[in-house]
Amino acid sequence: MAAITGEDGKVLQDKISPSSQNLSTSQLEDGRLEKNIDDTEVKHPRHGLPAWKWALTCVGLYLGALLYGLDTTIAADVQGSVYEALGEIQNLQWVGLGFPMASVAVVLLMGRLYSIFDIKWLIIITTAIFEVGSAICGAAPTSDALTVGRVIAGIGGSGMYLGCLSYFSVFTTNKEASLYNAGIGLAWGFGSILGPVIGGAFSDSSATWRWAFYINLPLAALMSPVYLFIFPSFRPNKEKTILQSLKTIDAVGAVLNAVLFVLFMLVLTFGGATWAWGSGRTIAAWVVWGVSSVMFILQQTFFIFTDAESRLLPLHLLKSRALVLVCVGTATSATVVGVTIYYIPLLFQFTRNDSALQAAVRLLPFIVFFIFFIMVAGGSLPVVRRYNLYYILGGALVVTGGALLFTITPETSVARIYGYEILVAVGAGIPFQNGYAIAASKVAKQDRAAAIGLINVAQIGFMAISLAIAGALFQNLGYQSLKGALAEFHFPDDYVRSALAGRISPIYNSTDSNVIDIAVRAIVDTIRRVFGMLIGTGAALLVGGLLMPWEKADFAADLED
């Protein structure tokens, strides 16, 4: 039996053990207690927690989600300024990619930690790690240092985000969970709005791009008293000592899982751009990745250096068709968001000669509609309950919007692009955050943390993977397209590659307007082909929804074993 305790050590809630969960009790909407057939009272998850403390806790949690969203997208409009200050075009992708790559490399491990240690102190520690990474990014003297900072911030950010989800899984009922999780999507989305805008504003100001990362420090410091003195504590498996809990961590699985993601991102980022696809380094990296994948699967399947309860990947949950397809839906909607947020601003920078700030503003139609429909979906899901409808509708809209973005040219009007953005935003927003509530409703109470971890891997992981794939397409297809289009002008290869980083390239300083027009058309055609990813992911989202069971999720079964 695990207990939720306040700062004064008093018990706020006794979590009901599985043996007592065979009662036919339901909770009232206002949180009052309802008697079951043998007159045993079932307490609301926040029983004994003052409303004002819960309100401040929510503010702190949502700020963490906002900062996570901020750092996910803030690199979208600072890359040109970073390249101008630090150089090294081959490292530029890591400004955007390092953060989500590190996040997904540790997300399963973070999920395990949140299932065995006090969630209050874990979220405080991971927030501190996030702030250290942000400080390193702001002070980075080289692109390598900036990459290290982004990786550290990504590790901390993953813990912050998962901590927010963990708090709401512990302190809310199933009926409340979808709305609170939609609030996470709202905070994350609002941070995503601010990311490109803040990044662009700082890049165009005397403060420089460095304050795009420093800004995290005062925001977290402002909320630190809430984290330290207001957040309630909750530790699962309280009967185990810290040392006993540490022994249950699947360290081998955690290392292999991190290697899988890091190697995959590494090869996609450097393959074709820095390393030739047929080079020994590229082939060796793919071979090591393949061997690591096989080792991870075998280690998890046969409990090597772990056991069924402690293994990192909850393979038994993958027997549920509904849960697997919800993961697919979450992954595809995250892919749509990642690609759109990064490449819409880039499109306007090339075709309209926008500054970083102006290009970020062009993304607002996408973000506003995306956030709005996250909230609509979260609020309506407990009422509609047929969760597959959200994925079917979302997939159809993404396919339509993606197909339209695939037709863009330098002459496509701004109004049309906004319309295409909105279609994609609605399609991605409808299923984006619902997976957390659906997954929690489909598994036994003791498996909810693991199910949320799977959804988190799908969301964060595939956003990172999609950015890596999109970056590889942009760098390789863009280079080939530019090289062929500008062949008669005999530009050196580094000039051609730098043209992909923005208008700071010497190519755009040419006195021949024809050169600039050719380069812009080649890059827009490349971005158009990157948007082709949306058609494929939208189709996967649609098909996944069609294959889901035609059933209603039970969001009221808070005591289901």
Side-chain angles (χ1 to χ4, degrees), residues 251-292:
V252 174
V255 171
L256 289 173
N257 178 68
V259 167
L260 289 183
F261 281 105
V262 171
L263 275 178
F264 188 73
M265 304 294 180
L266 187 72
V267 179
L268 285 178
T269 300
F270 288 100
T274 304
W275 308 339
W277 282 115
S279 70
R281 281 185 296 186
T282 303
I283 294 171
W286 279 123
V287 170
V288 174
W289 177 81
V291 171
S292 300

Side-chain angles (χ1 to χ4, degrees), residues 169-451:
S169 72
V170 170
F171 288 94
T172 65
T173 66
N174 274 3
K175 284 187 176 181
E176 295 172 330
S178 62
L179 194 55
Y180 276 98
N181 286 332
I184 298 174
L186 173 64
W188 182 91
F190 188 60
S192 299
I193 290 177
L194 294 177
V197 174
I198 289 175
F202 279 130
S203 295
D204 292 342
S205 73
S206 58
T208 75
W209 57 268
R210 294 184 182 277
W211 266 94
F213 302 106
Y214 281 143
I215 192 64
N216 292 324
L217 304 180
L219 291 174
L222 180 67
M223 292 303 297
S224 58
V226 174
Y227 281 70
L228 289 169
F229 305 115
I230 303 297
F231 273 25
S233 291
F234 172 71
R235 184 186 168 197
N237 299 320
K238 198 179 180 75
E239 66 277 3
K240 290 185 179 180
T241 66
I242 299 295
L243 183 59
Q244 288 172 331
S245 296
L246 285 171
K247 289 180 178 179
T248 66
I249 296 174
D250 181 7
V252 174
V255 171
L256 289 173
N257 178 68
V259 167
L260 289 183
F261 281 105
V262 171
L263 275 178
F264 188 73
M265 304 294 180
L266 187 72
V267 179
L268 285 178
T269 300
F270 288 100
T274 304
W275 308 339
W277 282 115
S279 70
R281 281 185 296 186
T282 303
I283 294 171
W286 279 123
V287 170
V288 174
W289 177 81
V291 171
S292 300
S293 300
V294 172
M295 289 175 63
F296 180 64
I297 293 170
L298 292 175
Q299 189 258 345
Q300 293 293 294
T301 302
F302 297 105
F303 317 130
I304 302 172
F305 300 115
T306 187
D307 54 48
E309 183 180 350
S310 302
R311 64 180 173 183
L312 198 68
L313 187 64
L315 291 175
H316 64 287
L317 297 184
L318 300 182
K319 296 176 182 179
S320 167
R321 175 165 62 101
L323 186 56
V324 169
L325 290 172
V326 167
C327 286
V328 170
T330 303
T332 50
S333 58
T335 296
V336 171
V337 173
V339 171
T340 308
I341 283 177
Y342 269 80
Y343 287 92
I344 286 291
L346 199 62
L347 172 67
F348 282 112
Q349 284 180 300
F350 281 111
T351 60
R352 301 299 188 274
N353 201 24
D354 281 355
S355 67
L357 178 58
Q358 290 171 325
V361 172
R362 305 279 197 183
L363 192 61
L364 290 180
F366 175 88
I367 296 294
V368 169
F369 277 84
F370 173 66
I371 290 174
F372 178 76
F373 278 92
I374 284 178
M375 296 304 296
V376 168
S380 63
L381 182 63
V383 178
V384 176
R385 296 173 55 197
R386 290 199 184 277
Y387 56 90
N388 62 327
L389 298 178
Y390 292 82
Y391 296 88
I392 294 170
L393 178 58
L397 290 171
V398 170
V399 169
T400 303
L404 291 170
L405 282 171
F406 192 69
T407 67
I408 58 172
T409 68
E411 290 76 32
T412 303
S413 69
V414 172
R416 284 181 178 273
I417 295 174
Y418 285 167
Y420 304 161
E421 280 184 52
I422 290 170
L423 279 174
V424 173
V426 176
I430 290 172
F432 185 76
Q433 204 71 6
N434 280 357
Y436 291 103
I438 296 167
S441 74
K442 299 296 294 182
V443 300
K445 201 175 187 75
Q446 63 268 24
D447 282 329
R448 286 182 186 173

